[in-house]
Amino acid sequence: MSTATRALLTLGASSRRPRGTTRAASVHEGSRAEAATGWIFLIPFLLIFAVFTAVPTALAVGASLTDMTARDIRDPFNVNFTGFEAYGKVLGSSAFQGAFGNTVMFVVLCVPLSMGLGFALALMLNNGIRRLRTFFRAAVYVPVITNIVAAAVIWQYAFSISGPVNSAFSNLGVPVVNWLGKPEWAIVTVVMMGVWRNAGTCMILFLAGLQAVSEEIYEAAATDGASTMRRLWSITLPLLRPTTLLVTVLMTVSFLNIFEEPFLLTKGGPLGSTTPMALWVYQQFGFGNIASSMAGSVILLILVGIVAFIQFRMLRPKH
């Protein structure tokens, strides 16, 4: 190879480098522009999250480490740092332990009942019901969007001593039940209202998951002789695993934070039998026990995070 040829090759290589460098630089600048655009769109969410979630959570944690009471609200910095003393008092309180047990009971009863009813309704609306399908979907979802205060007033009237539920039972020869006055029946009433209110959400999410499954899969399984139950067990449930995870986490978090149903129906009574942790926190704040209330809310937040983490680990896809 002659000297002139080497010179031309070197010149060509050197002339190509700037173009490659320019292309890489332009791609890098484009990525930076896209990232900047993404952060601009995130700013409203970050501001809302900071104002209504991050800052109040930090203030709650700070207040839980002091001896703050209602008298200190006007002068919040004139309090004593007590460390984890409030947490010890809360965890050792029999009332809080009862509220914790009630919360666990609501989760154990309401989550599977809401999910089971929602899944059954989704199956019927997806496969069984052909006429008036839109009407039934709207009817099942109405409790989700109904004003909870108005719904609670109707439930209080329906399940009162002289209400229509007891009247119907009396006509059938069944003894009158004090639905809201006895602990065991008050729990049943709150659970029924919680399931009634949340089954529609489960139904909508499960229905979306069912409609995402291709009909060709079911047709192929039916051609191979798979029964309806076999198709449900081997096709529907495995393919609904991501939807099931979402619904399980949403329902568990919702019932760990249950507040409206027991507060509006029974005020946490009778004898504290329907007082969950969220209502206990609210009551302590009303009593002026700010430090205990904040400590209870932090404990509830940690509990929700732990349960959600465990559920994600257990129900996440295996592949």
Side-chain angles (χ1 to χ4, degrees):
M1 183 180 294
S2 63
T3 304
T5 304
R6 292 193 185 95
L8 289 173
L9 291 175
T10 304
L11 180 62
S14 62
S15 63
R16 285 194 298 269
R17 286 193 193 101
R19 286 184 298 200
T21 304
T22 304
R23 189 178 300 111
S26 63
V27 171
H28 182 65
E29 291 176 357
S31 301
R32 293 178 60 184
E34 292 176 358
T37 303
W39 279 106
I40 290 174
F41 281 106
L42 278 175
I43 287 175
F45 164 77
L46 294 175
L47 290 175
I48 294 174
F49 178 80
V51 172
F52 294 102
T53 303
V55 173
T57 301
L59 293 176
V61 173
S64 68
L65 301 175
T66 65
D67 59 353
M68 179 179 287
T69 62
R71 300 176 180 177
D72 302 314
I73 292 180
R74 293 185 177 180
D75 190 11
F77 295 101
N78 188 24
V79 294
N80 299 317
F81 179 79
T82 58
F84 295 98
E85 180 178 338
Y87 291 90
K89 292 181 179 179
V90 169
L91 293 175
S93 169
S94 59
F96 180 81
Q97 293 172 4
F100 175 80
N102 293 335
T103 303
V104 173
M105 177 185 58
F106 285 134
V107 171
V108 170
L109 293 176
C110 295
V111 171
L113 288 175
S114 299
M115 293 181 61
L117 180 59
F119 182 66
L121 292 170
L123 283 177
M124 288 189 292
L125 290 172
N126 190 57
N127 300 321
I129 299 176
R130 298 297 179 185
R131 296 181 179 180
L132 300 176
R133 182 179 295 180
T134 303
F135 168 77
F136 285 109
R137 289 178 184 174
V140 173
Y141 195 71
V142 162
V144 180
I145 59 177
T146 301
N147 183 278
I148 182 61
V149 177
V153 171
I154 295 173
W155 274 71
Q156 283 182 329
Y157 166 71
F159 287 90
S160 62
I161 295 292
S162 58
V165 174
N166 277 329
S167 298
F169 282 164
S170 297
N171 294 332
L172 296 175
V174 179
V176 173
V177 175
N178 189 359
W179 293 97
L180 303 176
K182 289 188 176 181
E184 60 274 16
W185 291 112
I187 293 170
V188 172
T189 308
V190 173
V191 168
M192 286 193 297
M193 186 177 183
V195 173
W196 169 81
R197 190 182 177 203
N198 289 275
T201 301
C202 299
M203 181 271 295
I204 289 294
L205 294 174
F206 278 126
L207 186 59
L210 289 171
Q211 292 179 346
V213 180
S214 175
E215 289 292 335
E216 297 178 354
I217 301 177
Y218 292 113
E219 293 174 358
T223 303
D224 292 338
S227 63
T228 301
M229 291 302 299
R230 184 64 179 177
R231 294 196 297 270
L232 175 65
W233 183 260
S234 301
I235 297 175
T236 304
L237 293 180
L239 292 179
L240 282 181
R241 191 180 183 91
T243 305
T244 304
L245 169 62
L246 174 64
V247 176
T248 303
V249 172
L250 288 178
M251 289 298 103
T252 303
V253 171
S254 175
F255 284 108
L256 280 173
N257 291 289
I258 186 172
F259 175 84
E260 293 94 343
E261 290 87 349
F263 176 72
L264 295 172
L265 279 180
T266 63
K267 301 296 182 183
L271 303 176
S273 59
T274 59
T275 302
M277 293 174 65
L279 182 54
W280 183 90
V281 169
Y282 172 82
Q283 291 173 343
Q284 292 301 307
F285 190 87
F287 295 153
N289 302 326
I290 306 299
S292 297
S293 175
M294 296 300 102
S297 64
V298 173
I299 293 173
L300 179 58
L301 176 64
I302 294 173
L303 177 63
V304 170
I306 293 174
V307 172
F309 175 78
I310 293 174
Q311 289 177 333
F312 272 111
R313 295 287 296 180
M314 293 178 61
L315 298 175
R316 67 179 180 177
K318 297 180 181 180
H319 56 278

